[in-house]
Amino acid sequence: MNIKIPFVDLNFQHLPIQNKIHSAIQSVLSQGDFILGKALSDFEKAFAQISHAEFGIGVASGTDAIALGLQACNIGAGDEVILPANTFIATLIGVIRAGATPILVDCHPQTALIDLEAALKFVTPRTKAIIPVHLYGQMVSPLELLTFAERNNLLIFEDAAQAHLAYRDGYRAGSVGTAAAFSFYPSKNLGAIGDGGIVLTTNAEVAQKMTRLRNYGASYKYYHTDQGTNSRLDTLQAAVLLEKLPYLSEWNRQRLQIAQLYDSELAPLISQGIIPIQNQSGEGHVYHLYVVKITEACPISRQDLQQRLVSAGIQTGIHYPVPCHLQPAFTHLGYQVGDFPHAETLAKQILSLPMYPGLTQSQVKEVVAVIAEAFSEQKLVMVNTNS
Ligand SMILES: *Cc1c(COP(=O)(O)O)cnc(C)c1O
């Protein structure tokens, strides 16, 4: 099928700064400081600074940022960690790799963000931390989080993999908790040209332990004080990220504008059952994804709508079709269908529409026009079969 409107197109980010990226790569090549080089420390400082954190420690992926970041916060065996059931599986993998016990909770049906009231029921004397996932680019309310964490004496570890530069209640993503994990997977709001991640923190001890953990647990060369691993952000990736960083807020601004256009174009269809995930953080939402719910009130099923969009050359996605607690790899955690009804309903209803800097207004309008057309055709079919 001919693709007219892809789900993501990274060329809009890379072509205009192609020369800068090439010379950044060339410069690392000629310097030869491929591991823990200068571009890495420069990028770590720059990214921490714009995110209002003190220290940045680059790692090989967002998944490692969660697993090692939790360990750097001294969370491990015997500790319970609360996280949402509807997140990318890496959040759960990170907790398990840190050796901690994951405790899943449900989400708000409107925002898809973790439900702190529901979380309260799962707090035990063993609960050490909560991982708010700033899903789709919207932060979990920092004020509510801080209150929740303080009342229950919990550490906050943010999963900000989808929320570079997002803000809410005066806080930037990555500056709310003791530490935070980001991913630089290519299609994230800030993406490398391969895998990458970073842990941000304002706690010097966490930063130091993190620096050891990613580098074989070494305090200095060949002297190992922690059981670490090899997980460093390549100097090459950091050099590319440094070139892209100055454009991040402009790219996020474009994402917000696209989302606002989707919102207004979709408004007339809300009465027909298509409902955007609620934005409660205004311009602080960085729209990693633009997600709508295809509710039961819609004249057409999600699957048929997705197929209809494909026929029109429009790619969409589902983030995510199976909530963490129902993934086959994690049946041993003992969860069942029905445990987290909001997460389960969302998984059945959500649809992610094309979203990337460079997507044009007319393309957004075309996506919504195809949806509107599919809805009205289906209603005609229903009228005809009823009469
Ligand atoms: C992408 C992502 C991760 C994992 O990052 P990787 O770099 O792919 O390992 C973790 N959590 C969330 C919410 C993500 O979207």
Side-chain angles (χ1 to χ4, degrees), residues 14 21 24-25 28 33-37 39-41 43-44 58-61 184-186 190-197 232-245:
H14 296 149
I21 292 176
I25 292 172
V28 176
D33 58 346
F34 302 118
I35 305 296
L36 300 177
L40 175 60
S41 46
F43 173 72
E44 289 172 333
V59 292
S61 70
F184 302 121
Y185 179 82
L190 180 63
I193 52 171
D195 276 311
R232 297 160 305 211
L233 179 61
D234 288 336
T235 308
L236 268 175
Q237 296 297 348
V240 172
L241 289 164
L242 253 182
E243 293 303 329
K244 293 181 71 174
L245 190 59

XYZ file of all heavy atoms in Angstrom, residues 14 21 24-25 28 33-37 39-41 43-44 58-61 184-186 190-197 232-245:
323
model
N 16.172 15.555 10.402
C 17.578 15.309 10.068
C 18.071 16.029 8.815
O 19.191 16.521 8.793
C 17.823 13.798 9.958
C 17.610 13.096 11.266
N 17.162 11.804 11.371
C 17.774 13.531 12.543
C 17.059 11.474 12.650
N 17.416 12.496 13.373
N 25.193 17.297 11.540
C 25.298 15.930 12.048
C 26.542 15.248 11.479
O 27.310 14.629 12.218
C 24.013 15.123 11.716
C 22.828 15.675 12.519
C 24.202 13.638 12.013
C 21.491 15.037 12.216
N 29.621 16.600 13.164
C 29.722 16.129 14.558
C 30.277 14.707 14.596
O 31.143 14.372 15.411
C 28.358 16.194 15.236
N 29.792 13.875 13.669
C 30.268 12.488 13.599
C 31.742 12.473 13.188
O 32.569 11.777 13.793
C 29.413 11.671 12.602
C 27.986 11.503 13.141
C 30.050 10.306 12.326
C 27.000 10.890 12.173
N 34.041 13.327 16.100
C 34.282 12.219 17.043
C 35.236 11.208 16.413
O 36.156 10.708 17.070
C 32.961 11.523 17.449
C 33.231 10.315 18.343
C 32.031 12.501 18.156
N 37.576 9.560 20.660
C 37.151 9.334 22.054
C 35.750 8.702 22.075
O 34.804 9.270 22.600
C 37.202 10.627 22.873
C 36.335 11.742 22.294
O 35.893 11.627 21.114
O 36.070 12.724 23.001
N 35.674 7.492 21.541
C 34.371 6.859 21.306
C 33.607 6.516 22.577
O 32.385 6.503 22.597
C 34.563 5.588 20.477
C 35.231 5.844 19.163
C 36.451 5.263 18.864
C 34.649 6.695 18.237
C 37.073 5.503 17.648
C 35.265 6.953 17.023
C 36.488 6.360 16.722
N 34.365 6.190 23.641
C 33.714 5.794 24.901
C 33.967 6.869 25.954
O 35.114 7.251 26.210
C 34.288 4.442 25.401
C 34.164 3.345 24.321
C 33.606 4.015 26.705
C 32.736 2.984 23.940
N 32.879 7.358 26.579
C 32.977 8.376 27.629
C 33.789 9.588 27.160
O 34.592 10.143 27.906
C 33.562 7.775 28.916
C 32.762 6.606 29.534
C 33.490 6.037 30.763
C 31.353 7.027 29.914
N 33.518 10.004 25.922
C 34.251 11.132 25.346
C 33.654 12.490 25.699
O 32.690 12.598 26.469
N 32.007 14.796 23.875
C 30.634 15.114 23.460
C 29.629 14.521 24.443
O 28.554 15.089 24.665
C 30.372 14.598 22.048
N 29.980 13.379 25.060
C 29.066 12.772 26.029
C 28.924 13.670 27.258
O 27.805 14.002 27.666
C 29.540 11.370 26.445
C 28.693 10.724 27.546
C 27.226 10.570 27.107
C 29.247 9.376 27.971
N 30.031 14.090 27.841
C 29.903 14.933 29.042
C 29.256 16.277 28.694
O 28.468 16.812 29.479
C 31.242 15.097 29.766
O 32.255 15.391 28.862
N 26.993 16.764 26.367
C 25.560 16.526 26.201
C 24.880 16.282 27.553
O 23.778 16.784 27.810
C 25.298 15.346 25.258
C 23.839 14.987 25.200
C 22.933 15.815 24.550
C 23.355 13.843 25.837
C 21.572 15.526 24.532
C 21.995 13.541 25.817
C 21.105 14.383 25.159
N 25.533 15.507 28.416
C 24.943 15.216 29.733
C 24.672 16.520 30.498
O 23.593 16.696 31.082
C 25.890 14.317 30.543
C 25.951 12.893 30.005
C 27.036 12.038 30.667
O 28.043 12.596 31.144
O 26.882 10.807 30.683
N 24.630 9.478 30.892
C 24.173 8.821 29.668
C 24.358 7.315 29.725
O 25.379 6.824 30.215
N 23.362 6.587 29.241
C 23.413 5.127 29.227
C 22.982 4.605 27.850
O 22.622 5.384 26.967
C 22.520 4.504 30.336
C 23.084 4.795 31.713
C 21.094 5.022 30.236
N 23.025 3.283 27.706
C 22.830 2.673 26.394
C 21.384 2.677 25.900
O 21.144 2.556 24.699
C 23.354 1.236 26.413
N 20.416 2.817 26.803
C 19.006 2.819 26.399
C 18.148 3.374 27.524
O 18.607 3.495 28.666
C 18.537 1.389 26.080
O 18.465 0.632 27.279
N 16.454 7.883 24.235
C 16.745 8.576 22.971
C 16.552 7.648 21.786
O 17.204 7.790 20.748
C 18.169 9.159 22.993
C 18.404 10.118 24.130
C 19.408 9.874 25.064
C 17.612 11.242 24.291
C 19.622 10.745 26.123
C 17.808 12.117 25.354
C 18.820 11.869 26.278
N 15.684 6.665 21.943
C 15.257 5.835 20.811
C 14.902 6.799 19.664
O 14.327 7.861 19.912
C 14.049 4.995 21.265
C 13.469 4.107 20.203
C 14.042 2.877 19.913
C 12.344 4.509 19.488
C 13.503 2.071 18.929
C 11.796 3.704 18.504
C 12.385 2.485 18.222
O 11.854 1.686 17.244
N 15.251 6.454 18.422
C 15.166 7.432 17.331
C 13.849 8.213 17.221
O 13.870 9.405 16.900
C 15.401 6.573 16.086
C 16.300 5.470 16.575
C 15.839 5.176 17.982
N 13.302 13.554 21.471
C 14.712 13.756 21.143
C 15.292 12.371 20.895
O 15.351 11.553 21.821
C 15.453 14.457 22.286
C 16.953 14.696 22.018
C 17.167 15.623 20.826
C 17.651 15.257 23.249
N 15.704 12.115 19.659
C 16.141 10.767 19.302
C 17.562 10.729 18.774
O 18.007 11.645 18.079
N 18.265 9.667 19.113
C 19.612 9.442 18.589
C 19.498 8.764 17.227
O 18.398 8.592 16.705
C 20.399 8.573 19.571
N 20.635 8.365 16.647
C 20.583 7.592 15.398
C 20.892 6.133 15.732
O 21.622 5.445 15.031
C 21.532 8.171 14.323
C 22.957 8.350 14.864
C 21.017 9.519 13.845
C 23.965 8.711 13.772
N 20.274 5.694 16.825
C 20.432 4.352 17.358
C 19.835 4.393 18.755
O 19.032 5.279 19.048
N 20.230 3.456 19.609
C 19.694 3.447 20.969
C 20.475 4.386 21.880
O 21.652 4.667 21.651
C 19.766 2.029 21.546
C 18.581 1.176 21.128
O 17.438 1.669 21.264
O 18.787 0.042 20.667
N 19.794 4.838 22.930
C 20.448 5.687 23.923
C 19.483 6.051 25.024
O 18.263 5.906 24.871
N 20.019 6.494 26.151
C 19.177 6.934 27.265
C 19.991 7.757 28.230
O 21.217 7.896 28.069
N 26.956 2.472 28.429
C 27.292 3.877 28.268
C 26.648 4.406 27.006
O 26.460 3.663 26.042
C 28.810 4.030 28.203
C 29.461 3.582 29.509
C 30.901 3.252 29.386
N 31.206 2.259 28.383
C 32.233 1.396 28.474
N 33.002 1.392 29.545
N 32.484 0.548 27.497
N 26.279 5.676 27.026
C 25.801 6.323 25.809
C 27.037 6.594 24.956
O 27.990 7.236 25.419
C 25.077 7.633 26.156
C 24.527 8.470 24.992
C 23.495 7.707 24.183
C 23.931 9.771 25.515
N 27.057 6.090 23.714
C 28.214 6.303 22.835
C 28.490 7.788 22.645
O 27.558 8.584 22.469
C 27.938 5.702 21.444
C 27.966 4.189 21.450
O 28.617 3.617 22.346
O 27.336 3.589 20.560
N 29.769 8.134 22.580
C 30.141 9.523 22.280
C 29.529 9.966 20.947
O 29.043 11.097 20.817
C 31.675 9.666 22.215
O 32.235 9.106 23.408
C 32.089 11.121 22.115
N 29.504 9.058 19.970
C 28.922 9.376 18.655
C 27.451 9.769 18.781
O 27.004 10.746 18.186
C 29.021 8.159 17.731
C 30.245 8.029 16.838
C 30.214 6.694 16.104
C 30.296 9.184 15.836
N 26.707 8.984 19.549
C 25.275 9.296 19.742
C 25.117 10.622 20.471
O 24.267 11.442 20.113
C 24.574 8.170 20.517
C 24.545 6.827 19.800
C 23.762 6.872 18.490
O 23.054 7.826 18.203
N 23.915 5.828 17.691
N 25.959 10.845 21.481
C 25.881 12.096 22.242
C 26.190 13.286 21.340
O 25.560 14.342 21.446
C 26.840 12.050 23.430
N 27.143 13.110 20.423
C 27.517 14.204 19.516
C 26.330 14.564 18.615
O 26.052 15.743 18.376
C 28.726 13.799 18.683
N 25.612 13.540 18.140
C 24.432 13.796 17.309
C 23.330 14.447 18.147
O 22.696 15.422 17.725
C 23.932 12.480 16.665
C 22.604 12.700 15.958
C 24.973 11.917 15.707
N 23.146 13.938 19.354
C 22.108 14.494 20.237
C 22.406 15.963 20.571
O 21.486 16.785 20.650
C 21.988 13.657 21.515
C 21.355 12.274 21.314
C 21.619 11.366 22.513
C 19.843 12.405 21.088
N 23.664 16.286 20.741
C 24.050 17.674 21.026
C 23.652 18.598 19.873
O 23.227 19.733 20.100
C 25.565 17.764 21.216
C 26.130 17.962 22.611
C 27.651 18.080 22.536
C 25.535 19.168 23.327
N 23.789 18.105 18.646
C 23.397 18.911 17.485
C 21.886 19.067 17.398
O 21.386 20.093 16.943
C 23.921 18.285 16.184
C 25.431 18.300 16.036
C 26.040 19.708 16.129
O 25.363 20.688 15.726
O 27.177 19.820 16.621
N 21.161 18.036 17.833
C 19.695 18.092 17.729
C 19.059 18.878 18.873
O 17.974 19.449 18.719
C 19.113 16.662 17.679
C 19.471 15.900 16.402
C 18.863 14.500 16.364
C 17.354 14.523 16.168
N 16.799 13.148 15.993
N 19.730 18.889 20.012
C 19.142 19.492 21.226
C 18.618 20.925 21.049
O 17.530 21.236 21.540
C 20.172 19.420 22.369
C 19.675 19.785 23.769
C 18.522 18.887 24.197
C 20.822 19.692 24.788
